[in-house]
């Protein structure tokens, strides 16, 4: 098995996370090795045609109904979350339904709730009270409804950028639970590949997670800088106000004086634009920025000049669209987003991956499925989920609790990341080699060693 070990994840208003780590808990579980066409282990060996009566919430004789809760209005990031996310779920369901659905029923995204940024708990409670959906999909900037869904035993699949995705048996992300503030090898290694040695680190100070994000990057450089040619922290500020109302002129001036040649941040894409513009104003165009939250094709194209040569980490944990990897998951994603005329965005892929795990959970539970049966099947039988080769494998029987910085024993065996580079306003694969875009380390040790280039197709 493998996991996205310690990769720089992107930053939001609610959860500003720098290092996403794999997690292994203490629970022992039986394991299955059967694999479906999508690459996910199942207990049923892929059998999906048997139809039996099922008395369960949201299940009719012809449908298995789901609800999504996503941030659409009042989104301070200005990005497309809800529509893109729902598009990914619906594209995946369309594929599976074209194959005949599952257990004689169609998969249906029956309701789409907008949590309006601050109404997540209320929307989760409303869904539970209406009692007409089998499971939930969640893509929000706050996740205050996590306990409502978990306590009511609702199989929940979501955009994992929050600590609420750890420690709740019914809740699953597109990657395993995150590690807040852990050290990782990705940024030090990338600096070495790019010939950079002096890093500036910027983070927001509006939440504790934001501060920890910056600290995690700083500690990563301190830990592994000597191993990559002497990378050092030349500037550090994790107290910036969200929205950067006063700009970044003083910070950029200080970084220029300190000889910074590489900048890693815990900022959203608008913050990266402000930073890029200020670097250009002060004649620092040659500085490489590491973007944790800018895998947005239209945004980068519109800001091509200030982002040229920058590195964008795929924080949501899937293989970049630009990587030439022949995986079932990517092939089907491209096919069905084309058929339905859906735009391909980061959240579209997250919705697709969430939908795949929901489908694999149903398969693992068998024809006489239930909410509890699906949750238990994922937590006891799915040990090698890759969403059809899109992500390093997740062992859902182990990856439940939030990892703890500095405490070993929770990691998956691999620490991996993949990234793209901005070239003329477009993305190209940044590292790795053809067919192997993932850069991975043996995660059973903290000691420095050279990574391997990998694919999980």
């Amino acid at each position: 098995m493998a996991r996205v070990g310690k990769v720089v994840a992107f930053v939001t208003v609610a959860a500003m996370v720098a290092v996403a780590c794999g997690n292994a808990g203490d629970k022992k579980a039986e394991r299955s090795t059967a694999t479906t066409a999508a690459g996910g282990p199942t207990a049923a060996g892929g059998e999906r045609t048997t139809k039996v009566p099922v008395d369960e919430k949201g299940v009719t004789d012809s449908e298995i109904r789901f609800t999504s809760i996503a941030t659409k209005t009042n989104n301070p990031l200005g990005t497309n979350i809800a529509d893109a996310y729902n598009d990914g779920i619906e594209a995946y369901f369309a594929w599976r339904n074209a194959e005949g659905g599952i257990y004689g029923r169609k998969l249906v995204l029956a309701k789409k709730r907008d949590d309006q940024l601050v109404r997540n708990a209320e929307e989760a409670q409303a869904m539970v009270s209406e009692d007409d959906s089998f499971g939930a999909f969640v893509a929000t900037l706050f996740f205050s409804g996590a306990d409502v869904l978990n306590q009511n035993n609702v199989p929940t699949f979501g955009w994992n950028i929050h600590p609420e995705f750890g420690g709740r048996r019914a809740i699953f992300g597109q990657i395993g639970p995150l590690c807040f503030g852990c050290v990782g090898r990705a940024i030090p290694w990338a600096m070495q590949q790019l010939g950079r040695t002096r890093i500036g680190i910027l983070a927001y100070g509006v939440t504790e997670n934001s501060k920890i994000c910056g600290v995690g990057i700083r500690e990563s450089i301190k830990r592994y800088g000597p191993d990559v040619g002497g990378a050092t922290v030349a500037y550090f500020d994790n107290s910036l106000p969200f929205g950067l109302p006063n700009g970044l002129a003083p910070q950029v001036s200080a970084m220029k004086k300190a000889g910074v040649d590489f900048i890693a941040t815990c900022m959203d894409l608008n913050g990266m634009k402000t930073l890029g513009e200020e670097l250009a104003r002060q004649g620092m165009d040659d500085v490489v920025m590491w973007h944790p939250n800018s895998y947005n094709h239209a945004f980068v194209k519109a800001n091509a000049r200030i982002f040229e040569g920058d590195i964008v980490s795929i924080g949501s944990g899937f293989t970049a669209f630009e990587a030439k990897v022949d995986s079932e998951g990517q092939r089907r994603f491209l096919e069905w987003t084309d058929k339905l005329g859906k735009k391909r965005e980061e959240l579209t892929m997250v919705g697709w991956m969430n939908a795949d795990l929901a489908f694999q959970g149903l398969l693992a539970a068998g024809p006489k499925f239930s909410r509890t049966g699906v949750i238990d099947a994922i937590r006891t039988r799915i040990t090698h989920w890759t969403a059809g080769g899109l992500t390093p494998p997740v062992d859902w029987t182990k990856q439940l609790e939030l990892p703890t910085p500095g405490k070993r024993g929770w990691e998956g065996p691999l620490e991996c990341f993949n990234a793209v580079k901005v070239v003329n306003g477009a993305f190209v694969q940044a590292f790795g080699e053809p067919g192997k875009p993932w850069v991975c380390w043996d995660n059973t040790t903290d000691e420095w060693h050279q990574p391997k280039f990998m694919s999980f197709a």
Side-chain angles (χ1 to χ4, degrees), residues 339-385:
K339 283 184 177 181
L340 300 179
K342 306 291 190 184
K343 283 184 65 178
R344 295 167 188 156
E345 302 183 40
E346 184 169 8
L347 268 293
T348 318
M349 181 59 87
V350 173
W352 175 277
M353 294 170 72
N354 285 163
D356 180 74
L357 185 57
F359 178 83
Q360 301 300 335
L362 285 163
L363 270 179
K368 191 67 176 178
F369 63 93
S370 64
R371 281 179 166 180
T372 298
V374 166
I375 294 166
D376 288 348
I378 296 173
R379 289 299 184 194
T380 63
R381 299 175 188 172
I382 296 186
T383 63
H384 194 84
W385 177 76

Side-chain angles (χ1 to χ4, degrees), residues 142-270:
F142 294 92
F143 196 12
S144 56
D147 286 335
V148 172
L149 296 169
N150 189 64
Q151 291 165 7
N152 284 277
N153 215 37
V154 179
T156 301
F157 308 89
W159 182 31
N160 182 4
I161 58 173
H162 304 295
E164 286 87 354
F165 278 86
R168 292 168 175 81
R169 187 172 174 81
I171 295 178
F172 309 88
Q174 86 285 0
I175 54 178
L178 304 174
C179 184
F180 296 84
C182 289
V183 299
R185 287 166 275 210
I187 291 178
W189 181 85
M191 290 180 66
Q192 182 185 45
Q193 302 310 298
L194 298 169
R196 307 294 164 134
T197 59
R198 297 182 65 77
I199 188 173
I201 301 167
L202 299 175
Y204 297 123
V206 295
T207 71
E208 189 62 26
N209 287 343
S210 175
K211 296 175 184 178
I212 293 173
C213 165
V215 170
I217 298 174
R218 184 184 65 190
E219 296 308 306
S220 297
I221 300 301
K222 287 183 177 180
R223 174 67 175 83
Y224 297 114
D227 300 303
V228 295
T232 60
V233 177
Y235 183 84
F236 177 82
D237 186 346
N238 66 345
S239 63
L240 300 174
F242 182 74
L244 305 174
N246 300 314
L248 287 169
Q251 290 83 2
V252 170
S253 294
M255 287 191 285
K256 184 175 183 178
K257 184 177 181 180
V260 165
D261 57 13
F262 186 94
I263 299 174
T265 85
C266 301
M267 301 194 301
D268 64 306
L269 72 177
N270 292 315

